[in-house]
Amino acid sequence: MIKLIRPLSGLLLCTTALMAPGLVHAQQSGAADTEVEEIVVRGKYIPEVMRETSEVTSIVTPEDLVRQGDDTAAQALTRLAGLSVVSGRFVYVRGLGERYSSALLNGSPLPSPEPLQRVVPLDLFPSNVLAGVNVQKSYSVNYPGEFGGGLIDLRTIDVPEEAFLAMGVSLGMNDETSLKQGFTYYGGDSDWLGVDDGTRELPALIRQGIETGKRIDSANFSSDQLTAMGRSFQNANINLLQSTNDVPINGSFDISGGESWTFDWGNIGFVAVGGYDSSWSTRRAVQQEGVVSLEGLAVLEDLRSNSTQNDIVINGLASVALELDNHTFKWTNFYVRNVTKEARSVEGESSRASNYIRDDSTAWYQRELIDTQLTGQHRFGDLEIDWRGSYARTERDVPYERQVRYRRVDDVYLHNPQSDANFIRFSELEDKATGFGVDLRYRLENPLIADFTVSGGYAWYDNERFADSRVFRFTMNSTPSIAFQMQRVDFLYSDFNIGPNGLILREVTGSEGAAAYEAALKTSAFYLQGEGEILPAVRATFGARYESGEQTVQAIDLFNPAAALTGNRIENDYLLPAGTVTWNFAEDQQLRFGASKTIARPQFREQAPQLYLDPESDRTFIGNPFLVDSELINLDARYEHYFDRGQFATLGVFYKDIDKSIESVVNESGSGLQQTFLNAPRAVLYGAEAEFKKFFEPGFDLGWMSGVRFLVAANYTYTKAEVKVDEGDLVFPITNNGMPAPAANFVIDGSRLQGQSEHLANVQLGLESADGATQATLLANYASERTTARGQSGAPDFVQDPGVLLDFTFRQKFSVRAQQFTFGLEARNLLGEEFDESQSRGGDVIKLNNYELGRSVSVSLSTRF
């Protein structure tokens, strides 16, 4: 009898083949009394998730989350090869923007509360709820077809095997913000909790006026009604910007606990996590606009922005799991509320306003995500069935977004309420996603392919979004006197001045594009895949996904819902093949080769013809309803060498061909620059990435540092991405009302693909004790400059230079009266890197948005019972 034990099945096939002639010879020479009962081949088995997966993958492990000390999933992902984060929220994989990536939570898709993105911002996910993150860089057909740079699967913490209770606190400061000058406004009594106490609710009289379906102005409402409505708005606590010399320090608190119980019939467990975080940031920015002038650029707008933000995050996760002999059920619920309270003042010379101006603004940006998931795993011998169902809802609520404009005359600031730059805006966005999927795997014994597994499945996804915006202004029947314009803002908008002979409320909703839109994406998909060893030491995975999708975006006239406004419907069926071959040519080394076809759909906001002012960039966006899907061809190859668990070296190359890539372009409008979108003819991206991670034991006595091991980790990614424009290529811009226009008028052939940094690099140098009591790590992250938007006709592109971010983290465990504690120290941006977005031409530089990020330091204390 010959019994094979195969820790590495490919190696054993090779070994068996080599030994077979010897066995035959022994039988022929008359050694009948010799029976080979067992052949044992011992390989070097390293239980590494990144190795065991069939695709090119990068992973953030729980140990990485602790070592790096990153607060959110977005921050943690910047440490991986080929990944960078834009605006602190959106992850770019291999230079491709967030529209080319997908984010999942435990395998289920998520909606987004962001107006400009359908992909959920990853700063919404605190690291305290995560057990790790998988980033799959080559496509497999069991995942949604929208895939370009990569697929990010966030994995929440699991139910514990034994009871625990843990808690921690932290305090932090930033040298540009903490205890220094900044702006604020009162708002409501519970703002510090990230919860509005009712101050920002839409006034009841305004709500009643909206319910009539009529525009709130003098054509539809009486003078008395408009007076009462105008007086119902909040005044001093919303309008009055205040200066403070002691912006608070940052602080956070989190608590978690879990328990499990074992019974004769199975196990049941529970885990819960909760957290609160409050952080402050002050940005003193230079914000300019430029125009082409001869061979260079001339400054059109030269403004200085001073803003202070208080970001408050409240999160909670609860999960319960039931484990039977061959069946597992898990129910996970996640909630996060992320609020930004901002006070801002922008002033400077404005050519458009023909004056020296100052805009004072207050805002409350509230984002919420609620997600519930139910999953099941079932084993019936060689048949495995996994299923999942999820419902998620995100909301973005921006009440009382207030801007007040002043002009400077003889060193005195005057406020004319009739200016179009003054407004009170209320906007809401709701995004819902429902999904269901089932996967079946069957191990099929056969004489041709070893360890052959056939898998297939079905996935259904329904994403719906509704967004609207209401905008109001106060006007007057005559030009206000200078004395009137010199009043303090809360006096000027007091009840005394609101009436027929003073300030009159007027709704201007929809005056700059559609005031509302609704959108939906429905997909239904089947896939079939086979995986097994097609040759000794060669494992292959091949499959295809059939995905049917329908996406609609429809603008809405709030005052005439039956009116036919611009809409868009994209309805396509795709057959998306994918394959990966892995050659395990040595006990700890392998080569991967992958190829696939995938798609990228336009994001809802990119199609909606509704104006939106992005508070991050201070730029106005409007969608293009004439966008279509992009199609991608993806090729990957990677060499992998594994030293031990969590220790490896890899070297990979990749290539992507994108048909009808979606690009952002900037146009001139009456009120300033306006950013929109179009399909470029084609884009090509290729590059290489290398990564190394290893622990080293010192070969000499370190005395008091005895038992310490050193960490050396580094990765580098080179990416080249270009837009291709040939003679005769056409685009369909919104400025041409969807009619074809020469592509060369909007996109320059050979220009860099948006969001792509040619060079990305990370370095981690650390030491840690064998018992894990001490841990210190120096982390450096570098991203070269990247294009953020195409310049207006004839102007250079907008370019951001992220630079080098250098961080240091330290962890030390200690005991007090038999209770163990962990002390933490984190120092961020030690080199003082700044945010820098600009345009350059002929030696002239326009600073589009430039401000100091500041250096930060925080200390933490945690314990576990």
Side-chain angles (χ1 to χ4, degrees):
M1 177 183 70
I2 297 177
K3 180 180 179 182
L4 295 179
I5 299 175
R6 310 194 303 175
L8 294 173
S9 53
L11 282 174
L12 291 168
L13 284 173
C14 294
T15 307
T16 303
L18 291 172
M19 295 180 66
L23 294 173
V24 173
H25 175 74
Q27 292 173 350
Q28 290 177 345
S29 58
D33 58 337
T34 302
E35 180 181 358
V36 179
E37 294 185 354
E38 185 174 17
I39 297 174
V40 179
V41 177
R42 301 187 184 276
K44 184 179 180 182
Y45 176 63
I46 302 172
E48 174 64 53
V49 177
M50 196 168 76
R51 178 186 192 177
E52 294 170 351
T53 179
S54 61
E55 305 300 328
V56 175
T57 304
S58 294
I59 294 174
V60 178
T61 66
E63 294 81 9
D64 293 331
L65 291 171
V66 173
R67 180 182 300 113
Q68 296 162 188
D70 296 311
D71 295 329
T72 67
Q75 294 173 359
L77 287 169
T78 62
R79 315 297 181 185
L80 297 180
L83 274 70
S84 59
V85 172
V86 175
S87 301
R89 292 181 288 173
F90 299 102
V91 174
Y92 283 33
V93 183
R94 290 176 168 175
L96 289 174
E98 77 284 345
R99 74 165 57 84
Y100 294 105
S101 300
S102 301
L104 308 177
L105 184 66
N106 297 324
S108 295
L110 291 162
S112 173
E114 293 299 314
L116 292 176
Q117 285 84 14
R118 191 167 66 234
V119 178
V120 65
L122 297 183
D123 67 323
L124 281 180
F125 298 91
S127 57
N128 66 322
V129 304
L130 298 176
V133 186
N134 292 359
V135 180
Q136 188 170 302
K137 298 177 180 177
S138 62
Y139 179 64
S140 58
V141 297
N142 57 312
Y143 284 119
E146 284 197 74
F147 179 98
L151 182 139
I152 300 165
D153 192 2
L154 306 166
R155 293 178 290 110
T156 57
I157 60 175
D158 290 325
V159 170
E161 295 183 358
E162 58 184 26
F164 80 95
L165 176 65
M167 59 184 65
V169 295
S170 73
L171 296 174
M173 298 183 66
N174 178 281
D175 64 3
E176 285 289 321
T177 301
S178 304
L179 306 179
K180 292 192 173 183
Q181 188 273 337
F183 285 117
T184 186
Y185 70 100
Y186 183 75
D189 292 336
S190 58
D191 284 3
W192 66 277
L193 285 173
V195 178
D196 180 57
D197 62 359
T199 297
R200 296 177 179 84
E201 288 185 4
L202 192 68
L205 291 177
I206 301 297
R207 188 165 54 250
Q208 292 170 12
I210 289 174
E211 290 172 354
T212 66
K214 300 176 181 178
R215 187 185 299 275
I216 298 176
D217 58 18
S218 58
N220 298 304
F221 294 88
S222 68
S223 177
D224 289 343
Q225 288 176 311
L226 291 177
T227 297
M229 289 180 180
R231 291 175 178 178
S232 70
F233 281 113
Q234 294 287 337
N235 185 14
N237 54 351
I238 295 294
N239 294 329
L240 188 60
L241 206 64
Q242 302 174 57
S243 178
T244 177
N245 291 319
D246 55 354
V247 175
I249 63 174
N250 305 328
S252 68
F253 171 78
D254 63 81
I255 184 170
S256 58
E259 177 65 285
S260 62
W261 299 269
T262 300
F263 303 95
D264 294 339
W265 45 265
N267 303 319
I268 188 169
F270 174 80
V271 66
V273 178
Y276 167 85
D277 182 277
S278 176
S279 61
W280 296 78
S281 62
T282 295
R283 297 175 178 175
R284 300 172 180 86
V286 176
Q287 295 179 337
Q288 298 177 329
E289 288 183 17
V291 292
V292 175
S293 176
L294 300 177
E295 298 300 319
L297 296 170
V299 176
L300 181 66
E301 301 280 294
D302 189 11
L303 306 175
R304 300 297 181 270
S305 171
N306 193 346
S307 72
T308 301
Q309 293 183 0
N310 180 203
D311 294 295
I312 302 164
V313 180
I314 301 172
N315 69 85
L317 179 141
S319 181
V320 60
L322 172 64
E323 296 180 358
L324 306 176
D325 287 341
N326 296 305
H327 309 279
T328 300
F329 301 88
K330 188 175 181 180
W331 184 29
T332 302
N333 296 277
F334 175 64
Y335 170 79
V336 64
R337 179 186 183 91
N338 188 310
V339 171
T340 297
K341 179 182 179 180
E342 182 182 32
R344 174 185 308 207
S345 183
V346 181
E347 63 177 282
E349 292 288 349
S350 171
S351 297
R352 287 194 172 87
S354 301
N355 217 315
Y356 189 99
I357 62 168
R358 190 183 90 202
D359 289 337
D360 289 351
S361 306
T362 62
W364 175 273
Y365 304 99
Q366 177 180 306
R367 299 180 295 163
E368 280 188 317
L369 167 62
I370 299 174
D371 181 89
T372 183
Q373 302 176 349
L374 187 62
T375 62
Q377 298 177 334
H378 309 277
R379 304 293 178 261
F380 304 95
D382 289 335
L383 175 64
E384 300 177 5
I385 302 175
D386 296 346
W387 57 269
R388 63 195 176 276
S390 67
Y391 171 79
R393 187 185 79 243
T394 61
E395 294 180 349
R396 183 181 187 270
D397 188 13
V398 187
Y400 277 103
E401 191 177 4
R402 186 70 162 108
Q403 179 171 298
V404 177
R405 168 162 290 187
Y406 300 86
R407 72 186 193 282
R408 192 173 68 182
V409 179
D410 297 329
D411 292 328
V412 176
Y413 284 100
L414 304 178
H415 170 57
N416 185 345
Q418 298 191 102
S419 169
D420 289 348
N422 300 288
F423 61 81
I424 305 172
R425 180 187 291 124
F426 296 80
S427 59
E428 291 182 318
L429 182 152
E430 183 182 62
D431 205 279
K432 297 182 292 185
T434 306
F436 173 78
V438 60
D439 302 290
L440 295 88
R441 289 183 297 276
Y442 183 72
R443 182 170 175 146
L444 186 62
E445 295 292 342
N446 67 95
L448 300 177
I449 302 177
D451 193 26
F452 182 55
T453 301
V454 177
S455 60
Y458 170 77
W460 170 79
Y461 178 64
D462 185 357
N463 183 200
E464 297 179 349
R465 170 179 286 199
F466 177 80
D468 71 344
S469 177
R470 294 276 179 171
V471 187
F472 303 89
R473 292 181 187 144
F474 283 97
T475 61
M476 300 183 72
N477 289 325
S478 60
T479 302
S481 66
I482 296 299
F484 189 92
Q485 297 182 50
M486 290 177 63
Q487 293 181 83
R488 204 173 77 176
V489 64
D490 53 332
F491 295 158
L492 191 148
Y493 286 100
S494 64
D495 291 354
F496 176 79
N497 286 330
I498 297 176
N501 298 319
L503 299 172
I504 302 171
L505 182 67
R506 180 167 66 97
E507 184 176 5
V508 293
T509 297
S511 60
E512 296 180 316
Y517 72 93
E518 58 185 5
L521 170 63
K522 294 179 174 62
T523 65
S524 183
F526 297 88
Y527 77 88
L528 184 64
Q529 180 175 266
E531 179 181 0
E533 294 188 46
I534 57 175
L535 294 171
V538 178
R539 192 170 188 86
T541 303
F542 290 99
R545 182 183 186 89
Y546 174 78
E547 184 166 302
S548 176
E550 179 182 342
Q551 178 167 311
T552 58
V553 178
Q554 179 65 55
I556 299 173
D557 185 343
L558 292 176
F559 308 109
N560 184 13
L565 296 185
T566 304
N568 188 309
R569 177 185 297 272
I570 301 176
E571 190 171 1
N572 286 312
D573 297 335
Y574 294 100
L575 183 63
L576 306 174
T580 303
V581 176
T582 303
W583 178 26
N584 191 183
F585 63 90
E587 65 178 11
D588 54 2
Q589 300 176 66
Q590 59 189 25
L591 282 172
R592 295 187 193 272
F593 305 91
S596 63
K597 178 184 177 181
T598 56
I599 60 172
R601 297 181 176 93
Q603 302 187 81
F604 292 147
R605 194 62 188 82
E606 293 172 342
Q607 293 180 274
Q610 180 193 53
L611 282 181
Y612 165 71
L613 177 65
D614 179 28
E616 193 72 34
S617 62
D618 279 332
R619 202 166 294 145
T620 301
F621 288 78
I622 189 168
N624 178 1
F626 309 106
L627 297 178
V628 297
D629 293 349
S630 305
E631 298 186 27
L632 298 87
I633 300 296
N634 312 283
L635 302 175
D636 286 271
R638 188 165 81 171
Y639 161 77
E640 301 169 357
H641 186 179
Y642 294 92
F643 311 117
D644 206 336
R645 182 177 177 85
Q647 303 179 59
F648 50 83
T650 70
L651 177 63
V653 294
F654 51 89
Y655 172 85
K656 297 179 184 294
D657 191 308
I658 309 173
D659 182 44
K660 295 182 174 60
S661 63
I662 298 174
E663 293 284 288
S664 175
V665 295
V666 175
N667 302 315
E668 293 278 357
S669 69
S671 58
L673 296 182
Q674 190 179 93
Q675 199 161 325
T676 186
F677 309 89
L678 55 76
N679 287 102
R682 179 171 168 257
V684 171
L685 179 146
Y686 57 90
E689 61 185 22
E691 54 186 334
F692 175 87
K693 183 179 180 181
K694 195 172 190 329
F695 291 98
F696 294 92
E697 305 288 345
F700 50 87
D701 186 11
L702 296 178
W704 64 274
M705 292 180 61
S706 179
V708 167
R709 65 175 183 173
F710 296 93
L711 166 68
V712 177
N715 59 65
Y716 168 74
T717 304
Y718 170 79
T719 308
K720 186 71 172 179
E722 297 178 337
V723 178
K724 301 294 184 181
V725 180
D726 295 329
E727 185 176 352
D729 282 342
L730 300 174
V731 294
F732 298 85
I734 189 174
T735 51
N736 211 32
N737 200 28
M739 298 298 293
N745 291 351
F746 296 85
V747 184
I748 301 174
D749 180 52
S751 58
R752 181 169 48 198
L753 194 65
Q754 287 171 25
Q756 175 255 330
S757 288
E758 192 168 291
H759 305 281
L760 294 173
N762 284 281
V763 176
Q764 293 186 36
L765 302 174
L767 62 86
E768 55 188 55
S769 59
D771 59 2
T774 303
Q775 190 177 77
T777 312
L778 188 67
L779 308 102
N781 172 264
Y782 168 73
S784 62
E785 65 178 26
R786 56 192 172 215
T787 300
T788 56
R790 302 293 176 205
Q792 59 271 42
S793 181
D797 291 345
F798 291 13
V799 174
Q800 181 194 351
D801 186 6
V804 178
L805 295 176
L806 183 65
D807 302 333
F808 174 76
T809 65
F810 175 77
R811 297 283 183 278
Q812 178 64 56
K813 295 181 179 179
F814 63 95
S815 296
V816 176
R817 295 183 179 180
Q819 178 61 46
Q820 190 175 78
F821 294 86
T822 300
F823 169 79
L825 171 68
E826 298 175 11
R828 305 289 182 184
N829 194 23
L830 293 174
L831 300 180
E833 192 65 67
E834 63 182 24
F835 184 92
D836 183 11
E837 186 184 25
S838 62
Q839 279 180 298
S840 301
R841 177 174 177 172
D844 295 330
V845 177
I846 301 296
K847 295 183 177 181
L848 299 167
N849 199 10
N850 184 284
Y851 56 86
E852 297 288 343
L853 295 170
R855 298 173 176 85
S856 300
V857 62
S858 65
V859 294
S860 63
L861 185 66
S862 61
T863 186
R864 185 182 179 101
F865 302 94

